Amino acid sequence: MAGAGATIKQVLDAAEQAAKAGDVARAVALYRQILTKAPKHSKAKKALARLEKQGGAANRAMTQADANALVQVLNGGDFARARQVAEEMARAFPNEPFIYNILGYTCGMLGDQKAAIEAYKWAIKLNPNFVEAMSNYGSYLVQIDRAADAVPVLQKAVTKKPDYAEAHHNLGVAYAAVDQLDKAMQHYDLALRHAPRYANALNSRGSLKSTLNDRIGAEADFRAALQIAPNDTGAMVNLGGVLSADGKSSEATEILEKAAALDPRNIETFVQLGIILNESGRNEAALSSFRKVLEINPNHAKTLRLMLGLVPAEERAGVVEHIQRLFEDPATPDLDKVQLGFALGEHYEKQAAYEQSFVCLDQANRLYRAALPPMPQSDDEKFDRITGLFDSDAFAKLKDASDPSDAPVFVLGMMRSGTSLVEQIIATHSAVYGAGELNTATDLARPLYDKGSRATLADARTFTEGYLRDLLRNAGDVRHVVDKMPGNFFNVGLIRTLFPNAKIVNTVRDPRDNCFSIYKNFFDTYAHQYAYDQGELARFANRYKAMMNRWDELFPDAVYHIRYESLVTDQEAESRKLLAYLGLPWEDSVLEFHKTERAVRTASVNQVRQKIYRSSVKSWQNYEPYLQELIDGLDRELWGDAFVD
């Protein structure tokens, strides 16, 4: 084929020259290329008909030996050589779609998008029922960020061959990429129905389940994939992430270390391993893992952010200089600058270079806010919807399905308000297990909120049974389990209705400190979009406080409010009152919470391993000249005495 960008006239000239030179196979291929773009091109049609009548090499049938030879080169991994052989064979056998399918794959692997797409299209043009080429073409479109274009191609493939597992899997991947998760799950299931030992489909389905916070299902799929393909490092990394989120840090570390040994060039393995080691308090081992990432890619922005606080003091200046250079480089991608900006903001704050710190933080926040996709529901809509359900008493009848368990302890509040500190103190008690941040309540609450007054007792029992099952599965025989998901403040009404004996602890912090702490931290999720804009952040904080005030009105004494500033000022007195609220006897060990060996999966991972410090109180004052939009947006009357003056 002529170059992908050639005009029809250029291709026609090349075809005529090939015919004059006696290269009939090339001439036929070029004329066919013209007819793909212009099916009624009379000159090309006549010339092609004349050449086909002549016969010769262009009409010799390709043998199985020819096909095997091409596949053997492809399997050797030399894609440049495989492309060359495929192009030679395409000239010899211009009517063989098999060749163009492989040509498309090799061009794609070599990064030649135009040639890959042209080859796949030609394969399908030659054989409109060639579902393997359709599947490969659709998969390639997803790889080059054209998932929306891939969907119809893959839909056609599964329609033509409903039992083709690979096409179903690729269609699932395409649907996931365009955020149609229900359809993605449907096609992963179909792929596995037709090919139960399809490890790649198990891995993809597990990843989707993990996204949907179905950690049990995700773990099962990843383990099943590894039963089939024991050395699949992608599945190992995914399983390690799920196990870590489930509090199984030791097993997660073991699996990731095995993956690293199998594929020492896989950056994601070392990033994930470093994160888990850091969460487990093994900072030197975490730093070692992050260093291996930088050996492969010295400019890996996420790793530079994660490791900056771990490097020895004598190395830090060099690392900061490197990060600063990347941050200022116009060629650095914006999303990398986001990571680098948050790293620099934290570093310069520690140096008391507050203006320089804010410049980096502000740019990082602005870049990230601009890059985030729109949310399906605004924060205001969520606040209004949930509050409205309880103002109208929509769930009053669900009390008949409430569960008497007093095992759950919900620690909630604004992010960065001290929830991790409070959880760590409580979880240090011998009668308590800290489960970390669970999405379970929010996931199970969603259908209840959707149904509103139409929700049934059966729906309520689905919530209570499902929540307790997830909460308790790793807890052993302790009395209480802490769920430290800050966003459960949205669910206080539902929790109080369905778990009347559960304990609810709300952490309250000066909103100026609280909001600025949010603004200077990177959250690896799209859910907290308000966090990256001062005006949005102030509005969210006001809505949170108004909601908590409303819960106090609707459910008097249901929530125990603990002031962050009081806790860091008099840890023992506040801890004693907290344990008394929980009905737990005093244990001196809670004062040594920072020595507790448990994984911490929050932005506070390093803070909770230190003794209580008070430097974070009124820290916003160091940045006061730059935070006027935030400060002016906070409702002082609403927040009452939460302000620390």
Side-chain angles (χ1 to χ4, degrees):
M1 293 183 291
T7 65
I8 288 179
K9 185 178 184 307
Q10 289 171 330
V11 179
L12 183 64
D13 290 343
E16 291 173 347
Q17 291 173 9
K20 288 178 182 178
D23 190 348
V24 177
R26 176 168 171 75
V28 167
L30 291 169
Y31 284 128
R32 287 190 179 279
Q33 184 179 338
I34 293 169
L35 293 173
T36 300
K37 299 178 179 179
K40 296 182 179 181
H41 196 288
S42 60
K43 193 169 185 179
K45 287 174 69 175
K46 290 177 182 178
L48 180 61
R50 183 175 63 254
L51 289 173
E52 287 179 337
K53 285 182 181 179
Q54 293 176 8
N59 291 325
R60 177 174 80 80
M62 185 179 72
T63 66
Q64 187 62 49
D66 294 321
N68 292 345
L70 178 55
V71 171
Q72 184 175 2
V73 175
L74 178 67
N75 290 341
D78 185 345
F79 296 115
R81 173 60 181 156
R83 176 178 182 173
Q84 180 184 354
V85 173
E87 288 174 339
E88 291 171 355
M89 291 184 68
R91 288 194 289 272
F93 311 112
N95 299 320
E96 287 292 344
F98 166 82
I99 297 171
Y100 291 98
N101 181 37
I102 291 182
L103 182 58
Y105 180 79
T106 59
C107 290
M109 293 300 292
L110 293 169
D112 190 341
Q113 291 186 15
K114 290 183 178 179
I117 290 171
E118 187 175 278
Y120 280 131
K121 284 184 174 179
W122 187 238
I124 297 167
K125 179 79 172 179
L126 289 172
N127 180 1
N129 295 315
F130 195 179
V131 293
E132 181 182 347
M134 293 177 195
S135 180
N136 290 341
Y137 179 37
S139 178
Y140 182 66
L141 289 172
V142 174
Q143 292 173 39
I144 61 173
D145 297 323
R146 290 179 53 185
D149 296 328
V151 168
V153 174
L154 293 161
Q155 285 174 330
K156 184 179 290 187
V158 298
T159 299
K160 287 182 176 293
K161 192 173 182 182
D163 62 348
Y164 191 31
E166 184 175 332
H168 280 295
H169 170 252
N170 290 341
L171 181 53
V173 173
Y175 274 131
V178 297
D179 208 30
Q180 296 189 44
L181 304 187
D182 290 343
K183 290 183 178 179
M185 187 67 75
Q186 175 188 346
H187 286 280
Y188 290 150
D189 288 343
L190 285 168
L192 289 163
R193 180 186 304 172
H194 297 301
R197 292 182 58 77
Y198 191 173
N200 202 18
L202 284 164
N203 192 20
S204 295
R205 190 175 71 177
S207 296
L208 180 54
K209 288 179 178 179
S210 181
T211 298
L212 296 171
N213 299 309
D214 177 8
R215 295 194 306 278
I216 298 173
E219 180 180 340
D221 277 349
F222 294 142
R223 290 192 187 279
L226 289 170
Q227 285 289 323
I228 299 163
N231 294 330
D232 184 340
T233 55
M236 290 179 187
V237 171
N238 289 336
L239 177 58
V242 168
L243 291 172
S244 175
D246 218 17
K248 303 172 184 175
S249 298
S250 296
E251 186 181 1
T253 301
E254 181 181 342
I255 288 170
L256 289 167
E257 287 175 341
K258 179 180 178 182
L262 287 168
D263 186 1
R265 301 291 296 176
N266 188 330
I267 282 178
E268 184 54 36
T269 303
F270 289 107
V271 172
Q272 186 70 34
L273 181 58
I275 290 171
I276 292 174
L277 290 168
N278 188 28
E279 290 169 348
S280 302
R282 298 172 59 190
N283 290 349
E284 289 188 10
L287 180 58
S288 176
S289 189
F290 290 142
R291 289 189 194 281
K292 290 176 182 176
V293 174
L294 298 183
E295 289 174 7
I296 302 168
N297 178 4
N299 298 334
H300 195 267
K302 181 176 181 178
T303 298
L304 288 167
R305 176 178 66 83
L306 292 169
M307 73 175 287
L308 181 57
L310 303 177
V311 296
E314 63 271 17
E315 296 181 32
R316 198 163 297 138
V319 177
V320 170
E321 182 181 350
H322 179 56
I323 293 174
Q324 187 75 54
R325 187 167 55 250
L326 288 174
F327 186 62
E328 295 172 355
D329 187 345
T332 301
D334 282 351
L335 290 180
D336 282 359
K337 288 186 177 182
V338 171
Q339 302 274 355
L340 300 169
F342 280 108
L344 291 170
E346 180 181 1
H347 169 74
Y348 289 128
E349 181 180 26
K350 291 177 180 177
Q351 308 305 309
Y354 301 120
E355 182 177 2
Q356 194 171 5
S357 170
F358 185 79
V359 167
C360 297
L361 290 172
D362 194 52
Q363 184 175 345
N365 275 284
R366 291 178 186 276
L367 286 172
Y368 199 47
R369 186 66 186 88
L372 292 173
M375 295 285 284
Q377 181 186 44
S378 73
D379 292 321
D380 281 336
E381 289 170 339
K382 186 174 182 180
F383 278 109
D384 290 342
R385 181 186 184 200
I386 294 175
T387 304
L389 287 170
F390 288 91
D391 285 340
S392 64
D393 215 14
F395 293 144
K397 64 183 179 183
L398 300 186
K399 294 178 182 177
D400 292 339
S402 65
D403 191 289
S405 174
D406 67 350
V409 175
F410 294 90
V411 176
L412 46 84
M414 287 278 287
M415 293 191 303
R416 308 295 299 164
S417 63
T419 54
S420 293
L421 173 60
V422 171
E423 181 207 24
Q424 190 80 343
I425 290 171
I426 299 172
T428 302
H429 196 283
S430 61
V432 180
Y433 172 75
E437 297 183 356
L438 303 179
N439 288 293
T440 313
T442 295
D443 292 339
L444 292 172
R446 192 172 294 116
L448 288 167
Y449 294 148
D450 288 343
K451 290 185 177 181
S453 60
R454 295 180 291 106
T456 66
L457 296 181
D459 295 325
R461 282 189 286 271
T462 297
F463 176 90
T464 55
E465 292 169 5
Y467 181 77
L468 287 175
R469 183 168 55 249
D470 197 31
L471 182 76
L472 301 174
R473 61 196 177 92
N474 296 318
D477 58 358
V478 297
R479 176 177 170 183
H480 290 303
V481 182
V482 182
D483 177 350
K484 196 227 73 148
M485 174 55 71
N488 274 329
F489 71 79
F490 280 108
N491 302 319
V492 167
L494 194 60
I495 291 167
R496 186 61 175 169
T497 299
L498 298 181
F499 287 116
N501 296 320
K503 302 297 185 181
I504 304 173
V505 180
N506 175 49
T507 57
V508 183
R509 184 180 183 188
D510 183 321
R512 295 164 297 186
D513 275 333
N514 198 160
C515 290
F516 179 58
S517 184
I518 292 172
Y519 194 71
K520 68 183 182 181
N521 275 277
F522 175 79
F523 303 96
D524 199 5
T525 171
Y526 288 167
H528 306 300
Q529 301 199 358
Y530 63 89
Y532 307 103
D533 179 274
Q534 289 191 40
E536 291 181 55
L537 187 47
R539 180 173 179 81
F540 187 92
N542 291 338
R543 294 301 306 263
Y544 149 79
K545 190 63 170 67
M547 176 174 264
M548 292 309 302
N549 290 349
R550 186 58 179 148
W551 293 141
D552 285 341
E553 294 169 357
L554 292 171
F555 305 96
D557 301 320
V559 179
Y560 180 84
H561 301 282
I562 184 168
R563 289 289 304 275
Y564 173 79
E565 292 82 8
S566 299
L567 179 60
V568 299
T569 300
D570 193 341
Q571 177 193 352
E572 181 172 346
E574 292 299 321
S575 297
R576 285 185 179 277
K577 288 190 286 186
L578 179 60
L579 292 190
Y581 165 71
L582 297 174
L584 294 172
W586 176 254
E587 291 182 355
D588 288 339
S589 61
V590 301
L591 298 178
E592 303 290 315
F593 66 88
H594 54 284
K595 297 181 180 179
T596 300
E597 295 184 1
R598 53 184 293 269
V600 180
R601 293 179 57 83
T602 74
S604 306
V605 57
N606 294 315
Q607 290 95 319
V608 298
R609 301 199 187 285
Q610 305 171 29
K611 293 182 178 180
I612 279 183
Y613 54 90
R614 302 175 187 176
S615 58
S616 58
V617 177
K618 297 186 181 181
S619 63
W620 66 273
Q621 292 178 342
N622 297 319
Y623 293 84
E624 185 173 5
Y626 321 113
L627 298 177
Q628 286 310 300
E629 183 181 5
L630 169 64
I631 295 168
D632 292 345
L634 291 168
D635 186 333
R636 193 177 186 95
E637 181 178 351
L638 179 66
W639 280 94
D641 61 358
F643 280 77
V644 178
D645 294 317

